[in-house]
Amino acid sequence: MRSAADTFAMASDLLVIPAALLVRYPPAPAVVPAAPAGAAGRELTAGQALRTPQFATIALTYFACCAAHSGPIFHMVTHAIDNGVTAMAATTVLGVAGLASLSGRILCGLMADRIGAKRMLLMGLALQAVAVSLYVFTRELASFYAVAVVFGFAYGGAMPLYAILVREYFGARIIGTIFGAVGSVATLGMALGPWAGGWLYDTLGSYFWLYMGSFGIGLGAVAIAFTFRPPRRLPVAVPSAVAAG
């Protein structure tokens, strides 16, 4: 296992670092696009954006989303082994979930371009919660593969949509700061799921409450995402001379 992890790490360095050198800025548009309807006013600063309810809503949704799927991902292999699946086959179940997440990122991104990131995120979060609950009833290898496809597609499809929401709600100028802050909160959720799942298993001797808890947190993510509202933009200050004229 350790040698495999070392191999993956070296392969990632060999591929990702050269690929990063190929990144280029896009050419500047010849015509500046008009501001969207309702976007009148100046944009928020990073400090102002971090104090808005919209930032808290996106961050909490991302936290709950990650807390809901991180435990099932981390304990997927051991749960399959507990149900009589061989260790090698259980490992391939995790691989299937990873491949499904790749397709979810692409297809859900395409759908978000058509129906909107918020609506697509709600659908992805709901599907993720349902998929997590199905693990309670999963016993055979074939069913583990089937659930892994649905689960992987759901969590993979939801993850890129938060960056789109941050860009839509707070603009491109401060997206690095705001998405970094949102991602920091989400990381806490990623850390919570595996630890809580392991504690529940060691305490109760079963993964049942891990999946039920993840299902409940997943539904909570859906409920929080429903409250998304565009932030108010600050009014543009009008010079006194212009106002007097």
Side-chain angles (χ1 to χ4, degrees):
M1 180 66 74
R2 181 172 182 175
S3 60
D6 290 340
T7 301
F8 278 121
M10 289 187 291
S12 297
D13 290 340
L14 292 175
L15 294 174
V16 174
I17 295 176
L21 298 176
L22 300 177
V23 176
R24 297 289 185 270
Y25 286 107
V31 179
V32 178
R42 59 189 176 91
E43 292 185 354
L44 301 174
T45 65
Q48 292 166 336
L50 290 172
R51 296 192 295 269
T52 62
Q54 288 77 15
F55 168 78
T57 300
I58 296 176
L60 287 175
T61 302
Y62 205 175
F63 170 88
C65 173
C66 290
H69 68 236
S70 60
I73 292 173
F74 190 86
H75 296 281
M76 188 183 300
V77 173
T78 52
H79 176 56
I81 293 174
D82 283 354
N83 283 275
V85 178
T86 65
M88 181 58 70
T91 304
T92 63
V93 171
L94 180 60
V96 167
L99 290 175
S101 73
L102 294 178
S103 63
R105 293 170 190 272
I106 297 172
L107 295 177
C108 289
L110 291 173
M111 289 296 297
D113 290 340
R114 289 163 173 75
I115 67 174
K118 176 183 175 180
R119 185 178 300 177
M120 191 65 242
L121 179 63
L122 287 169
M123 295 169 61
L125 291 174
L127 182 62
Q128 174 180 270
V130 171
V132 166
S133 69
L134 294 178
Y135 277 107
V136 174
F137 310 102
T138 305
R139 297 291 182 270
E140 305 296 330
L141 179 59
S143 57
F144 271 108
Y145 283 135
V147 175
V149 169
V150 179
F151 176 56
F153 180 88
Y155 80 73
M159 296 298 282
L161 301 179
Y162 296 99
I164 299 175
L165 288 172
V166 169
R167 168 65 176 82
E168 290 179 349
Y169 283 23
F170 299 109
R173 187 174 58 85
I174 57 173
I175 186 174
T177 302
I178 303 305
F179 188 67
V182 168
S184 298
V185 176
T187 300
L188 299 177
M190 289 296 292
L192 175 64
W195 173 83
W199 181 83
L200 289 169
Y201 183 83
D202 291 342
T203 303
L204 304 175
S206 169
Y207 281 122
F208 175 82
W209 289 110
L210 162 64
Y211 292 113
M212 285 294 94
S214 296
F215 172 63
I217 295 172
L219 291 181
V222 176
I224 299 171
F226 263 115
T227 67
F228 282 170
R229 296 291 184 275
R232 285 184 181 178
R233 292 181 180 265
L234 298 176
V236 177
V238 179
S240 56
V242 174

